[in-house]
Amino acid sequence: MEVAIQPPEAVLPRRNGSVSFSADSPPVYDPERELVPEDPESGRSNNQGLEGLTTSPDGGTLYALTQSALVQDGGPEDPGRRQARLLVYDVSGTKTKNNKNGKNKNKKQNQPVLIHEYVVSLPLYASPSKKNPNRQKVAAQSEIHYLSPTQFLILARDGNGRGSDSPTSLYRHIDVFDISAATDVNTPEYNAANGSIASKEGVLREGIRGAEYCTFLDFNVDAELARFGLRNGGEDGEGNLNEKWESIALLPVDGKKGKDGEFFILSISDNDFITQNGYLNFGNYRYADASGLNIDTQALVFRVKIPQKSDPLLG
C-alpha cells in the first residue's frame, strides 16, 4: 500500500461520540458480544460505505459513491436512505513510477485531495406489503463506472435474487447519472461530523440539487433472460439470477477504442461465499455455507450504444 484516503468526517461512522467501524453482528471469535447501539449515530450506515469506485481514463481523478445515504442524511431505513454522496478526489499527485528493478523512483507523493462532492438520489421501487401496500424501498448501489467527467453508469438493485430470502428481484438495473447541474456540497458544513445534506426523512436541504438520474438497462426482462435459459425468481436453481450483482465493465465492440460508441457492458455477480465445497487457509480447512446452496458466479453481457463523446476506457 502506498496511499490511503480517509473520507470526510461526515462519512466516518460514530457510536457514543467515537469513530466505530463495527458491524451490527458479533465477531466469530466473540459471538456473545453486543454492540450498543446497533446502528451508528452518524456517518455511513452498517455495511453501506463507499461501494462504488471508478477513475477517469488518465487515472488522475477518483470517484467514490456511498452505497446509500449516511445516517444523518436519511439513513439507514427505507425510503429515507436514498441520498448517496459522491466524493471526487484529485489523485494525480499519487502516481508512482518504478525503475527497471521495480523500485519506486518517486521520493515524495502528494496526498489525494477532495475537490468536489455531489449527491446522487438513488431510485425508489414499489415493494408492497400486507401492512403497507404503498411501501417504497431504495435500490442501493453496488458499483459505478466512468463515462465522461459528468456522466457515470451505476448498478442499483434490491437485495433479492438467488441466495437471498426473496428470489424475485423488483429492481436490478444499470442506470446513468449526470452531475453537470448538481450542487457541489464539498463544504466544511456538510463534511463536518454529523454534517447533513438532507433531513432525517431523506429530503434534500433547500438549495441542494442532486445529480440527474436516468434508468437504462433492466436485468429483469423475462423475455431477454429466457433466451439464455435464465429467469428472475421462481423455484430455486442455477437459472435464477443471483442476488449480488456488484460489477460493471465496458468493452469496445470494435476491439479498439470504441469511437463509434458501440460497447459491451459486462456485469458479474458475487457468490458471497455461498458454497458447500469451499476451502480456507490455502486449502487446509473445508468450508460449507449454512444455507446448503451452491451459488455459482454469473455474468451478463449487454450490447449498447453510448454517446460518442464519452471516454470510458483507461488510457
Side-chain angles (χ1 to χ4, degrees):
M1 179 183 292
E2 296 178 346
V3 177
I5 302 174
Q6 177 174 296
E9 293 290 326
V11 180
L12 301 180
R14 284 178 166 80
R15 291 180 174 87
N16 305 310
S18 300
V19 174
S20 169
F21 285 96
S22 297
D24 60 351
S25 55
V28 293
Y29 57 83
D30 188 4
E32 302 302 319
R33 180 186 295 183
E34 293 186 12
L35 193 64
V36 180
E38 291 185 357
D39 296 315
E41 295 160 312
S42 66
R44 69 103 176 98
S45 299
N46 288 325
N47 198 30
Q48 297 287 300
L50 296 169
E51 184 80 1
L53 295 173
T54 190
T55 65
S56 58
D58 63 3
T61 307
L62 173 68
Y63 303 85
L65 182 64
T66 58
Q67 192 164 5
S68 63
L70 305 182
V71 172
Q72 69 271 22
D73 294 341
E77 302 298 332
D78 292 308
R81 64 187 188 109
R82 65 182 308 221
Q83 309 299 352
R85 294 204 195 194
L86 177 70
L87 308 179
V88 184
Y89 287 92
D90 179 356
V91 294
S92 59
T94 65
K95 290 184 178 180
T96 60
K97 293 182 178 180
N98 295 331
N99 59 27
K100 60 182 179 181
N101 296 321
K103 294 184 178 180
N104 181 11
K105 295 190 296 184
N106 294 351
K107 297 297 183 181
K108 183 178 180 180
Q109 296 183 45
N110 296 323
Q111 285 295 314
V113 178
L114 180 65
I115 54 176
H116 301 292
E117 185 176 345
Y118 303 100
V119 180
V120 179
S121 299
L122 299 172
L124 295 169
Y125 64 93
S127 179
S129 65
K130 291 182 178 179
K131 292 183 178 180
N132 184 4
N134 298 315
R135 184 177 66 174
Q136 288 188 311
K137 288 189 173 183
V138 173
Q141 67 85 21
S142 56
E143 183 62 297
I144 58 174
H145 195 295
Y146 179 100
L147 289 178
S148 75
T150 61
Q151 292 187 342
F152 303 82
L153 296 175
I154 177 171
L155 203 171
R157 59 178 177 83
D158 56 22
N160 299 349
R162 188 164 192 247
S164 73
D165 294 333
S166 302
T168 303
S169 171
L170 301 176
Y171 196 102
R172 186 161 40 197
H173 285 200
I174 290 178
D175 295 328
V176 181
F177 68 88
D178 188 308
I179 59 174
S180 58
T183 304
D184 190 340
V185 295
N186 182 23
T187 69
E189 175 187 359
Y190 298 134
N191 286 336
N194 208 36
S196 172
I197 51 90
S199 68
K200 293 181 179 179
E201 293 75 31
V203 178
L204 288 178
R205 299 199 179 280
E206 185 176 356
I208 297 179
R209 180 175 180 178
E212 183 177 1
Y213 194 101
C214 299
T215 59
F216 185 36
L217 292 176
D218 186 351
F219 286 28
N220 298 336
V221 179
D222 291 330
E224 289 293 310
L225 294 175
R227 295 171 56 206
F228 304 97
L230 302 173
R231 63 186 182 278
N232 173 30
E235 67 178 75
D236 184 60
E238 294 181 357
N240 191 11
L241 289 189
N242 292 343
E243 172 199 358
K244 294 199 171 182
W245 294 85
E246 303 201 349
S247 63
I248 303 173
L250 285 173
L251 304 170
V253 173
D254 64 11
K256 299 176 183 178
K257 296 290 186 179
K259 295 300 183 181
D260 59 358
E262 294 279 349
F263 281 84
F264 295 116
I265 292 183
L266 172 67
S267 185
I268 300 176
S269 69
D270 177 356
N271 78 343
D272 214 27
F273 304 105
I274 300 177
T275 179
Q276 304 308 302
N277 191 32
Y279 293 87
L280 299 172
N281 193 21
F282 303 98
N284 291 320
Y285 297 97
R286 289 292 305 272
Y287 167 81
D289 176 74
S291 71
L293 296 175
N294 284 297
I295 303 294
D296 293 330
T297 297
Q298 297 174 333
L300 295 178
V301 182
F302 302 87
R303 183 169 180 166
V304 301
K305 191 172 184 67
I306 63 176
Q308 292 188 15
K309 292 184 179 180
S310 300
D311 187 20
L313 301 180
L314 293 178

